[in-house]
């Protein structure tokens, strides 16, 4: 089950942070991934994640709310949707969500 939480900002918008199992590498689930999304409310934040390709994402409770550094990172990103592979390591940079969902091998279409 995914751990996560949210933080309501003074302007009424929210930042949602969810820790998910990373992309599989064939031998099982990958390293945990921390995903951040900025939206008008929690429902819209989860809808943004589902529209990005993370279909089975739910937020139950507020056990792991975003840290102030995570809030700053997502507010300063133009997409407002970021991820980082190792949540416990603050040295890793944040990446846009399309880098997580991009296939590792390009798809070849028959000519």
């Amino acid at each position: 089950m995914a751990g996560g939480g949210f933080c309501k900002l003074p302007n009424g918008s929210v930042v949602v942070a969810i820790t998910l199992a990373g992309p599989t590498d064939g031998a099982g689930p990958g390293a945990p991934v921390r995903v951040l999304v900025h939206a008008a409310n929690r429902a819209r934040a989860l809808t943004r994640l589902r529209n990005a390709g993370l279909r089975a994402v739910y937020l139950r409770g507020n056990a792991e709310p975003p840290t102030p550094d995570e809030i700053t990172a997502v507010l300063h990103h133009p997409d407002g949707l970021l991820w980082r592979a190792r949540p416990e390591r603050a040295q890793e940079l944040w990446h846009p969500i399309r880098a997580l969902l991009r296939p590792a091998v390009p798809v070849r279409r028959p000519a």
Side-chain angles (χ1 to χ4, degrees), residues 77-92:
H77 193 271
D79 292 339
L81 193 55
L82 303 171
W83 70 279
R84 182 165 60 186
R86 290 185 169 57
E88 66 277 357
R89 288 184 46 201
Q91 293 84 7
E92 183 181 355

Side-chain angles (χ1 to χ4, degrees), residues 4-101:
F6 68 95
C7 181
K8 191 164 182 117
L9 302 177
N11 66 356
S13 63
V14 296
V15 173
V16 173
I18 297 180
T19 304
L20 304 169
T24 60
D25 57 359
V33 174
R34 182 80 163 173
V35 179
L36 301 174
V37 60
H38 178 240
N41 55 43
R42 284 190 309 164
R44 286 190 182 182
L46 295 175
T47 300
R48 287 190 69 195
L49 288 173
R50 291 181 188 122
N51 289 342
L54 302 171
R55 297 288 181 210
V57 174
Y58 296 95
L59 181 63
R60 292 185 172 89
N62 200 14
E64 299 176 21
T67 64
D69 291 338
E70 291 175 334
I71 293 170
T72 302
V74 76
L75 289 177
H76 285 89
H77 193 271
D79 292 339
L81 193 55
L82 303 171
W83 70 279
R84 182 165 60 186
R86 290 185 169 57
E88 66 277 357
R89 288 184 46 201
Q91 293 84 7
E92 183 181 355
L93 299 176
W94 290 97
H95 310 282
I97 197 71
R98 63 186 163 270
L100 176 66
L101 303 174

